[in-house]
Every structure is written in C-alpha cells, then in structure tokens.
Amino acid sequence: MRTFRLRRSSLKGNCLCGEVSFELSGILPPIYQCHCSLCRKVSGASSNSALIVRADSFKWLSGTNSISRYVSSSGFKSEFCQCCGSPVPNISSSKDTYWVPVGLMSEDLATTIKAHVYVNSRANWDEAFICDNVEKFATMPSESEWLKLSE
C-alpha cells in the first residue's frame, strides 16, 4: 500500500483570522474534492477539497470556543470560525475521523487529489475536472473503494 507521508512530524493549519488552529500528524491521506451542492455552498466554489484523517492524527491547538456549527435537516453539518467564517475541521459521527478542509493548511502538502465525489450533482458550469485522470464517483466512495485509491 502506497502512502503519503508528511514532510515533518506535524503539519499545522488555521482559519483565515488565525483564531482556530490545529495540527495533523502521521500519515497524510489523499485529498478528495466534493462537488455536491452543499459543499459548493460551504466553500463558495465549484468543489470542497478535503482530507479525512484519523482522530488520533488530529489535535486542536486553539480556538475551539470560537467554532460555531450549522446542521441541516438532512444531517449535513458545517463547522466554522465565528470570527472569520472559514469552514474548520469537524469530527465524524463515529468519532474516529476528522474532515479537514485542505485550504486551511499552512504548509505545502505531500499528497495529491485522488477522487472527485458527487460528480453527478456538480454545477452545470463545472467542467474543469472532466479531463483530469482522477477517479470520479457519483456519490461518496465506500470505505473499501477509498482505501484502494489510497494505495
């Protein structure tokens, strides 16, 4: 199994104003880009680029008291800095992983985009990714599919 390692033992990230900060450690997984309408609204862009990291590889450094949360009727949740509005990491319902927006990372990442997800609900003007060689999924890939992509 091929993995991508951090160039350092840890990698820091923070929101736009710096109030909320965190650190990742260990193996850095590949990035996915979600093209669903909810992620487009959260990011204000054609997709939302994120990592899913193990909970034991994630550590809050500051600002957890500045995080607000929105949960839709469907269960979709968005956590964000109440000072600057940046989306911030949030823990999965199983509590074993964190969703981390890669745009918050303060340093270069030693990983690549491995999947476009929810491509069937992408915006009608979102054509830029069609020509790349990245795996595309109509919905979110299963855990086994994602692990296979991470090899």
Side-chain angles (χ1 to χ4, degrees):
M1 178 175 180
R2 188 178 78 171
T3 57
F4 297 90
R5 297 206 176 264
L6 296 173
R7 290 186 294 164
R8 296 186 199 127
S9 60
S10 65
L11 189 65
K12 292 182 169 73
N14 57 272
C15 65
L16 181 61
C17 71
E19 179 71 21
V20 178
S21 65
F22 59 93
E23 182 176 70
L24 305 180
S25 61
I27 297 171
L28 190 63
I31 298 167
Y32 74 89
Q33 291 185 315
C34 183
H35 297 266
C36 79
S37 62
L38 298 171
C39 283
R40 289 196 314 270
K41 291 198 182 287
V42 165
S43 68
S46 64
S47 64
N48 197 341
S49 300
L51 301 166
I52 303 294
V53 299
R54 292 187 344 228
D56 62 1
S57 297
F58 182 90
K59 177 182 173 186
W60 289 110
L61 298 177
S62 67
T64 56
N65 58 335
S66 295
I67 296 173
S68 289
R69 170 187 268 194
Y70 168 76
V71 181
S72 73
S73 58
S74 69
F76 177 86
K77 70 178 177 175
S78 173
E79 294 184 0
F80 52 93
C81 173
Q82 59 188 322
C83 300
C84 67
S86 293
V88 297
N90 63 65
I91 197 161
S92 65
S93 56
S94 65
K95 308 282 189 229
D96 58 352
T97 59
Y98 275 86
W99 171 82
V100 179
V102 295
L104 299 180
M105 302 314 299
S106 301
E107 304 166 66
D108 289 340
L109 302 179
T111 190
T112 59
I113 297 168
K114 285 292 202 170
H116 292 286
V117 301
Y118 288 98
V119 296
N120 290 353
S121 36
R122 72 183 189 278
N124 66 338
W125 47 264
D126 182 11
E127 298 293 331
F129 76 95
I130 296 295
C131 298
D132 67 17
N133 293 322
V134 175
E135 194 80 32
K136 295 162 187 68
F137 295 88
T139 61
M140 186 61 94
S142 68
E143 185 176 339
S144 62
E145 288 172 316
W146 185 246
L147 290 173
K148 186 176 179 183
L149 284 173
S150 299
E151 293 178 354

